[in-house]
């Protein structure tokens, strides 16, 4: 079930909200759990059992890890729990990748298993790992299995994040304060996130599809594609994160932010402090720092960075382009850390151009079906192969999508937010905005409903991860 679908918006969500707010406090987590299992099982009922087993294993391991955390056995149990969770992820997500590469290297013909990937397994696996590790580090284990299951399965962020750590919401599971103010903030955030997805991301995705299907490639068309996809993935994923955070607020949970205008960054390091922040901080705290982080000699620190970013890329998908994508960023982060960082600070213009160019090329690699296509697309950006600077189809797409691209570029910066904040502080304007905002949000929801009724299926990009 998709957030950006009529069944979710007008059947599932209203029913869940009615049940949730009608339920007494002690049953609210039960409502969230049952609703989340229904939400997940809507498309993949058989994988509900996998999730249930993962939760049960985490529950049992958590209790014993807490009991023996001060002994060696506690560390062993924590490691076994992490290994169990990762084994499911490795099997379902990476088995065919390893078989295929084994066949290529050794010339064998082992048949691929063609295992269907359970939706959201990359996200809830990391959340279960964070629970076990947080308990080992001192967080009390969750004795109420309903509360733990509600944390793991919570439908607002189950499918595509943000990755919510157990330590961040452990106390909210048992004691959270509901209010009309927080619910209102949640509704606003959800609708605006839905707008990002339907009105901007989906339309930019169509431009990317037009590019792929075109037989009239040109330098201009390659750049249109690169910019369109970079904006598409941002509005698609940040839109989902906004919806997840908004739904969390309606249920009185405070999820951490996942994006902070990454395209205004002045370095690649800053970009990754602003992009998919829940994933970056997860790898930092559960992989990079335990490996030694910055507290080791430079050669070991370089190895740590390479390992973390190879894993970051591999987490996104079982394909070489994702691994190369991760290592690509590892190279730039390493160069910035040991040499380039002091130079890019001298010019804001040059630093922004450098970051945008680096990120655009990275997403060309990210979205390529294979590395051959990735190299071809990168070459196309710079006119390789003797392609023309422009083509009739590229000029048509520029005219057709130009306004949307400008809106996307402006929307990817904090300009609109800053303008709204300034207007809010103007005497008299605050009252007008407070009255107009509900009307605007209702109008926006109506327009998006029309898009959904008339539109085609367009899932969130991160569903495949």
């Amino acid at each position: 079930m998709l957030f950006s679908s009529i069944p979710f918006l007008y059947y599932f969500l209203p029913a869940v909200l009615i049940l949730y707010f009608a339920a007494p406090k002690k049953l609210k987590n039960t409502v969230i759990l049952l609703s989340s299992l229904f939400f997940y099982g809507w498309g993949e009922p058989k994988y509900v059992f996998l999730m249930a087993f993962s939760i049960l294993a985490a529950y049992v391991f958590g209790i014993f890890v807490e009991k023996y955390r001060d002994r060696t056995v506690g560390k062993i149990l924590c490691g076994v729990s992490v290994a169990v969770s990762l084994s499911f992820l490795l099997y379902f997500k990476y088995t065919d990748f390893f078989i295929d590469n084994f066949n290529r290297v050794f010339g064998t013909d082992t048949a691929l298993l063609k295992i269907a990937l359970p939706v959201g397994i990359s996200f809830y696996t990391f959340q279960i790992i964070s629970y076990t590790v947080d308990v080992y580090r001192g967080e009390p284990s969750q004795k109420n299995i309903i509360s733990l299951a509600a944390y793991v399965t919570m439908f607002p962020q189950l499918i595509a994040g943000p990755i919510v750590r157990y330590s961040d919401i452990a106390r909210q599971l048992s004691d959270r304060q509901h209010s009309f103010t927080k619910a209102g903030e949640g509704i606003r955030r959800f609708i605006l996130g839905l707008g990002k997805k339907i009105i901007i991301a989906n339309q930019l995705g169509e431009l990317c599809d037009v590019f792929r299907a075109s037989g009239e490639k040109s330098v201009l068309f390659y750049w249109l594609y690169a910019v369109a996809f970079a904006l598409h993935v941002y509005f698609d994923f940040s839109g989902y994160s906004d919806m997840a955070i908004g739904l969390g607020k309606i249920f009185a949970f405070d999820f951490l932010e996942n994006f902070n205008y990454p395209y205004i960054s002045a370095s690649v390091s800053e970009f990754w402090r602003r992009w998919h922040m829940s994933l970056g901080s997860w790898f930092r705290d559960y992989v990079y720092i335990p490996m030694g982080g910055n507290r080791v000699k430079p050669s070991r620190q370089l190895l740590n960075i390479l390992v973390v970013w190879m894993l970051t890329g591999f987490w996104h998908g079982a394909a070489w382009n994702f691994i190369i994508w991760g290592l690509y960023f590892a190279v730039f982060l390493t160069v910035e850390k040991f040499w380039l960082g002091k130079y890019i600070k001298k010019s804001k213009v040059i630093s922004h151009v450098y970051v945008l160019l680096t990120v655009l090329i990275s997403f060309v690699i990210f979205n390529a079906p294979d590395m051959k296509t990735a190299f071809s697309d990168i070459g196309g950006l710079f006119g390789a192969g003797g392609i023309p600077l422009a083509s009739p189809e590229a000029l048509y797409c520029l005219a057709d999508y130009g306004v949307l691209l400008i809106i996307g570029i402006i929307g990817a910066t904090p300009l609109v937010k800053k303008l709204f904040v300034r207007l809010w502080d103007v005497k008299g304007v605050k009252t007008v905005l407070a009255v107009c905002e509900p009307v605007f949000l209702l109008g926006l929801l109506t327009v998006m409903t029309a898009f959904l009724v008339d539109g085609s299926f367009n899932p969130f990009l991160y569903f495949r991860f």
Side-chain angles (χ1 to χ4, degrees), residues 363-395:
F363 281 129
V364 168
I365 299 171
F366 184 91
N367 196 46
D370 50 60
M371 286 309 301
K372 180 180 178 180
T373 304
F375 287 127
S376 176
D377 290 344
I378 294 171
L381 292 172
F382 301 98
I387 60 174
L389 290 177
S391 62
E393 189 171 6
L395 293 172

Side-chain angles (χ1 to χ4, degrees), residues 262 264-268 270-271 336 344-345 348 351-352 354-355:
I264 68 170
S265 301
S267 68
V268 173
E270 182 184 354
F271 175 84
E336 282 187 8
I344 60 177
K345 293 178 181 179
K348 289 185 178 181
S351 64
H352 283 303
Y354 148 73
V355 171

Side-chain angles (χ1 to χ4, degrees), residues 2 31 97 119 134 207 220 231 249 285 300 310 347 400:
L2 299 170
V31 172
F97 173 81
V119 172
D134 287 348
L207 174 55
L220 174 61
L231 292 172
K249 285 186 178 296
D285 294 341
R300 177 56 190 271
M310 183 190 72
S347 172
D400 199 27

Side-chain angles (χ1 to χ4, degrees), residues 228-248:
F229 182 76
L231 292 172
H232 166 68
V233 70
Y234 168 71
F235 283 103
D236 188 276
F237 193 20
S238 69
Y240 186 98
S241 294
D242 286 341
M243 284 185 269
I245 292 169
L247 288 173

Side-chain angles (χ1 to χ4, degrees), residues 88-95 117 122 314-318 465:
F88 294 137
L89 182 62
L90 288 170
Y91 174 76
F92 284 99
K93 191 169 184 176
Y94 301 106
T95 298
L117 178 65
S122 298
F314 206 29
W315 177 89
H316 281 84
F465 307 133

